[in-house]
């Protein structure tokens, strides 16, 4: 789960990763009375699809105190096709790890990855020093690498390739821009400088409660959500470098 924040002026963008095991209060929904659970359970309790996305959005709105301007549901298995249509992306592995899914070994260093290998890598959290926090960072890096690759391939000058990428993206994304035309949104964001993306992790820590592993907020999120509401995320990021990744 990523909260994407673009401050006024559109010269920066922040990808704020919400830990999937974060303990939150889930609101009631049809067939679900509400209660304490992991935040990623909201999608299932909401019935998946549109209902699940709505309950998840409501949960995150209550958690952060902000109203979202739009949402995108990403099908990672479909996203694999987007990466393949782009000719693969360049990922830099910082800690060696063996996949628990395919037993592939990922050695340190920057390397070209196709869609299947990329998604296998960014799903890993076991045997990484930061666990799920490392997985969050790797997924942020993947999105940055996709954007970089899309810019390098000059898609606008190759209509055939552009059509293939858009068709693949259409199968991987469900987008609600809240009435703003998608092409206008993309046009506004295309001016982001190359080093404008920052990855942010919600201040939190793991804790076992009644034998179940959760993630709980550190001091209510360390002021991050207040900074979001007050549009002071750049200032918060400067004061909290521990939770910020330059992508």
């Amino acid at each position: 789960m990523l909260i994407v924040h673009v401050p006024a002026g559109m010269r920066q963008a922040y990808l704020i990763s919400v830990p999937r095991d974060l303990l939150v209060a889930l609101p009631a929904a049809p067939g679900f009375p509400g209660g304490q659970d992991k935040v990623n359970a909201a999608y299932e309790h909401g019935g998946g699809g549109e209902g699940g996305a709505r309950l998840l959005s409501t949960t995150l709105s209550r958690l952060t105190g902000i109203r979202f301007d739009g949402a995108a549901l990403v099908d990672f298995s479909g996203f694999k096709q987007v990466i393949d249509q782009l000719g693969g992306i360049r990922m830099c592995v910082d800690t060696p790890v063996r996949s628990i899914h395919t037993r592939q070994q990922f050695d340190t260093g920057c390397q070209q990855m196709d869609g299947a290998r990329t998604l296998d890598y960014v799903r890993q959290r076991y045997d990484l020093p930061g666990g799920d926090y490392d997985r969050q960072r790797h997924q942020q890096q993947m999105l940055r690498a996709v954007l970089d690759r899309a810019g390098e391939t000059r898609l606008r000058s190759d209509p055939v390739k552009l059509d293939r990428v858009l068709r693949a993206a259409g199968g991987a994304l469900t987008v609600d821009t809240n009435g703003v035309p998608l092409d206008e949104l993309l046009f506004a964001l295309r001016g982001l400088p190359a080093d404008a993306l920052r990855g942010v992790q919600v201040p939190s820590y793991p804790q076992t409660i009644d034998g179940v592993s959760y993630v709980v907020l550190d001091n209510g999120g360390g002021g991050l959500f207040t900074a979001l509401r007050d549009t002071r995320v750049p200032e918060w990021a400067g004061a909290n470098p521990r939770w910020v990744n330059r992508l």
Side-chain angles (χ1 to χ4, degrees), residues 131-204:
D132 190 51
Y133 293 103
D134 283 343
R135 177 169 60 180
Q136 293 171 31
R137 179 165 49 83
H138 295 160
Q139 290 177 354
Q140 293 170 351
Q141 290 169 339
M142 179 195 72
L143 292 176
R144 169 60 192 270
V146 168
L147 291 175
D148 286 347
R149 181 60 180 157
E152 292 170 0
T153 52
R154 304 182 185 277
L155 291 177
R156 289 194 175 191
S157 62
D158 188 342
V160 175
K161 188 165 189 176
L162 175 60
D163 180 68
R164 290 173 179 169
V165 171
L166 289 177
R167 287 177 183 274
L173 295 172
T174 303
V175 181
D176 178 3
T177 58
N178 200 24
V180 178
L182 184 58
D183 56 347
E184 289 187 14
L185 180 61
L186 294 175
F187 181 82
L189 295 177
R190 72 174 186 171
L192 281 170
D195 62 347
L197 279 180
R198 298 287 185 276
V200 178
Q201 294 171 330
V202 175
S204 54

Side-chain angles (χ1 to χ4, degrees), residues 44-88:
E44 179 182 355
H45 288 310
E50 184 178 340
R54 186 181 300 113
L55 182 58
L56 177 58
S57 178
T58 302
T59 301
L60 292 176
S61 291
R62 291 191 179 187
L63 174 70
T64 62
I66 63 175
R67 181 180 179 277
F68 299 105
D69 297 305
L73 184 65
V74 182
D75 175 3
F76 264 19
S77 61
F79 211 64
K80 173 173 67 69
Q81 299 177 38
V82 176
I83 295 173
D84 287 339
Q85 288 296 336
L86 290 171

Side-chain angles (χ1 to χ4, degrees), residues 6-7 42 70 100 102 105 107-108 136 144 151 175 177 185 218 232 237-238:
V6 184
I100 64 169
T102 65
Q105 175 68 31
D107 296 319
T108 54
Q136 293 171 31
R144 169 60 192 270
V175 181
T177 58
L185 180 61
D218 185 358
R232 293 187 297 100

